[in-house]
Amino acid sequence: AQLTWFYDEPLPRPHHLAAYAISRQARAEGFRVLLSGEGGDELFAGYARYDELGQEMSRTHDTSPLVFAHNRVALPRIARFFHDRRFGNAYRFWCAERTHGLDLVNRQLLVDQWTFLQHFLQRSDRMGMAAGVEIRVPLLDLELVKYANGLPGAEKTSNGETKKCLRAVARQAFPGGLADKPKQGFDMPVGSLLCRGPVAELLDDLLLDRPRCAELFDLAGVTETVRSFRAGDNDLWQVVWPLLATELWMRALKATG
């Protein structure tokens, strides 16, 4: 609830807790400024899907993944919470239209820079500030962004290799094969936290007993989702978490007037 107040909106991902924990520990050890690698994936193609979806779009001539790459699984699940069952993302469609003329890898990267990346930057900034730490993003230096966006997509990812040009530079600077290690996510055991212990009890108390988020979402859908999660559909934590975050946000708003 405290982090919800700092973030000023529902915490969309559990990664925020990890970002805050790292920032708080750094502050306790006397650090006031941290450097982050935010932007590296969206500038230099750090996700395997950039190459995979680029090949798919080239083969099928269907560019809808530019808009729905992050939502192929999420949208059907989210639909249960809205009475009219209709969805759209006009801004992502608009971004996709603006990338015409670029190769399919760079089209994806630009759409993500304008959309997906903004979420990560907000997370770093607000969670750092909540702990009294400033987080800076050297990879998003304006001249570096311009240079990276001017590179062909094939120089960034191909044949399953991600961040090709960035890895090539890193190999010259860091020994021991560090540049060739696989991507390691910023994950937390959220599924386990929501299944047992005090967080699980909080989840049930807030979402199964007249939740305030029912003002926004279909109450039956909320109840069905929580009960399905409790019955063993563990993948639903990715839907349960945003519901809990929204509930905490609505309660924080009410508490502060």
Side-chain angles (χ1 to χ4, degrees), residues 12-195:
R13 288 168 172 252
H15 308 76
H16 292 66
L17 304 181
Y20 174 73
I22 290 173
S23 298
R24 185 176 63 179
Q25 184 62 35
R27 186 68 178 84
E29 296 183 15
F31 296 97
R32 295 178 180 272
V33 177
L34 300 178
L35 297 181
S36 167
E38 300 284 20
D41 289 326
E42 293 78 17
L43 282 174
F44 297 102
Y47 301 116
R49 60 179 168 79
Y50 291 129
D51 186 27
E52 295 167 358
L53 290 179
Q55 294 182 42
E56 177 185 321
M57 288 186 286
S58 178
R59 183 177 65 255
T60 64
H61 304 290
D62 175 14
T63 58
S64 63
L66 287 170
V67 178
F68 296 115
H70 310 300
N71 300 318
R72 288 179 164 184
V73 174
L75 281 178
R77 289 177 171 173
I78 294 171
R80 74 182 74 185
F81 305 123
F82 290 84
H83 299 287
D84 62 8
R85 303 296 198 267
R86 289 177 296 178
F87 291 90
N89 196 326
Y91 181 64
R92 284 189 70 93
F93 274 108
W94 179 77
C95 289
E97 288 296 319
R98 290 184 63 194
T99 64
H100 273 304
L102 300 177
D103 64 68
L104 289 170
V105 169
N106 275 313
R107 292 191 70 181
Q108 294 177 78
L109 293 176
L110 275 179
V111 171
D112 278 358
Q113 287 171 36
W114 296 333
T115 56
F116 197 49
L117 177 59
Q118 304 307 310
H119 155 72
F120 290 124
L121 295 177
Q122 181 172 276
R123 175 192 67 187
S124 296
D125 182 62
R126 295 188 183 180
M127 294 299 95
M129 289 293 100
V133 169
E134 179 184 353
I135 298 180
R136 297 180 182 175
V137 284
L139 289 180
L140 293 178
D141 175 83
L142 181 58
E143 293 305 315
L144 180 57
V145 171
K146 290 179 179 178
Y147 173 76
N149 284 341
L151 294 173
E155 292 187 18
K156 301 174 184 179
T157 181
S158 63
N159 300 319
E161 182 181 3
T162 59
K163 291 191 279 197
K164 290 174 61 177
C165 51
L166 194 59
R167 291 181 191 273
V169 173
R171 289 187 191 104
Q172 301 175 36
F174 302 107
L178 181 64
D180 295 306
K181 287 188 174 183
K183 186 175 181 63
Q184 184 173 343
F186 201 47
D187 296 326
M188 294 182 63
V190 180
S192 299
L193 290 173
L194 293 173
C195 283

Side-chain angles (χ1 to χ4, degrees), residues 185-221:
F186 201 47
D187 296 326
M188 294 182 63
V190 180
S192 299
L193 290 173
L194 293 173
C195 283
R196 65 186 71 90
V199 178
E201 294 173 6
L202 177 68
L203 169 69
D204 290 345
D205 289 343
L206 295 185
L207 293 183
L208 293 179
D209 184 16
R210 292 173 294 179
R212 289 191 172 91
C213 67
E215 298 174 19
L216 300 175
F217 308 132
D218 180 63
L219 177 59

